[in-house]
Amino acid sequence: MPATVVNLTVHGIGRPQRQLDPGENEKWVTVEQFEELLDAAVGIDNVHLTFDDGNASDLEIALPRLLERRLKAEFFPVAGEIGARGRIDRAGVRELVAAGMSVGSHGWSHRDLRRLDDKHLSQELTDASEYLSELTRRPVKRVALPFGSYDRRVLDRLRKAGATRVYTDDGGSARAFTWLQPRTSLPHDLDRPWIDDTFAGAPGLYRQATRAAARFVRLARI
């Protein structure tokens, strides 16, 4: 197991089958872009692929291409959206697990956890994981934070809820065994230079500056 890992987040691939939220198209890639990413990831141990939101493309586009290349990935559907238009359904979640993929939680309704009262925060953290555990017939203890948003209270509730790993959207590489793991979302203009830059774990000066600023803001909050 490598000492550091680059966690990548895929939000959607190909033509969306639902109306996208404002700005969501900025993280949607074409099939060709996705295939180029997968081809580059073959044989690289420290690149970890994750999929957020539970879009239908996870099953219809991503899964067969992952299997063709013998790649593993971790999927984080929004529990309350399973079976909705353009989303993966219950049978699809089970198919991911049967194919050897991992399933974690992306909350119940994709809300900013920092803005929720205790009752609704419990639904997002506890109810979502319990529903997914029942569906997959295995413990669901990993969480991908909606919008990558967190503060001290959210992290404390995640620990109390028994989360074994939490993924943010802070960008950059991560130490392989840390509890709080940054991820980097695929951009809509993904190309080979971006892939090479990100896989190398040595981003350009502009991206270094933006990531440093983002981490400063997150640390200030907690």
Side-chain angles (χ1 to χ4, degrees), residues 33-216:
Q33 287 172 313
F34 180 68
E35 290 178 338
E36 185 173 22
L37 175 79
L38 293 189
D39 289 340
V42 173
I44 301 180
D45 294 337
N46 70 332
V47 171
H48 178 214
L49 297 170
T50 69
F51 293 75
D52 278 4
D53 303 330
N55 287 303
S57 60
D58 289 357
L59 186 69
E60 297 170 5
I61 298 175
L63 181 60
R65 287 164 174 79
L66 289 166
L67 293 176
E68 286 172 2
R69 295 162 177 82
R70 299 182 180 180
L71 293 172
K72 300 292 186 181
E74 198 164 6
F75 292 80
F76 293 92
V78 178
E81 294 290 330
I82 291 174
R85 179 179 176 84
R87 307 281 190 176
I88 194 170
D89 60 14
R90 291 169 58 90
V93 174
R94 293 193 182 102
E95 187 173 342
L96 290 174
V97 173
M101 306 299 161
S102 301
V103 171
S105 174
H106 200 39
W108 186 265
S109 57
H110 204 271
R111 291 185 287 179
D112 188 334
L113 302 181
R114 298 170 301 162
R115 304 180 185 278
L116 302 180
D117 59 27
D118 287 344
K119 176 182 178 180
H120 290 98
L121 187 57
S122 179
Q123 181 187 47
E124 294 294 327
L125 298 182
T126 305
D127 293 0
S129 292
E130 289 179 353
Y131 175 72
L132 289 166
S133 294
E134 179 182 354
L135 182 58
T136 61
R137 298 181 180 178
R138 59 187 61 190
V140 172
K141 295 294 185 180
R142 293 191 175 195
V143 177
L145 295 167
F147 309 107
S149 298
Y150 60 93
D151 56 18
R152 187 182 300 277
R153 171 173 167 263
V154 169
L155 297 182
D156 182 61
R157 288 296 298 269
L158 283 161
R159 289 189 177 94
K160 290 179 178 178
T164 58
R165 176 161 294 176
V166 177
Y167 291 102
T168 74
D169 196 28
D170 289 337
S173 60
R175 287 179 292 177
F177 298 103
T178 55
W179 182 73
L180 193 65
Q181 295 257 328
R183 296 186 297 169
T184 301
S185 293
L186 304 189
H188 74 282
D189 57 353
L190 180 146
D191 57 16
R192 188 57 193 237
W194 186 95
I195 294 171
D196 292 341
D197 183 34
T198 304
F199 281 20
L205 292 177
Y206 174 75
R207 193 171 296 143
Q208 283 182 334
T210 56
R211 287 175 180 172
R215 287 195 184 101
F216 177 81

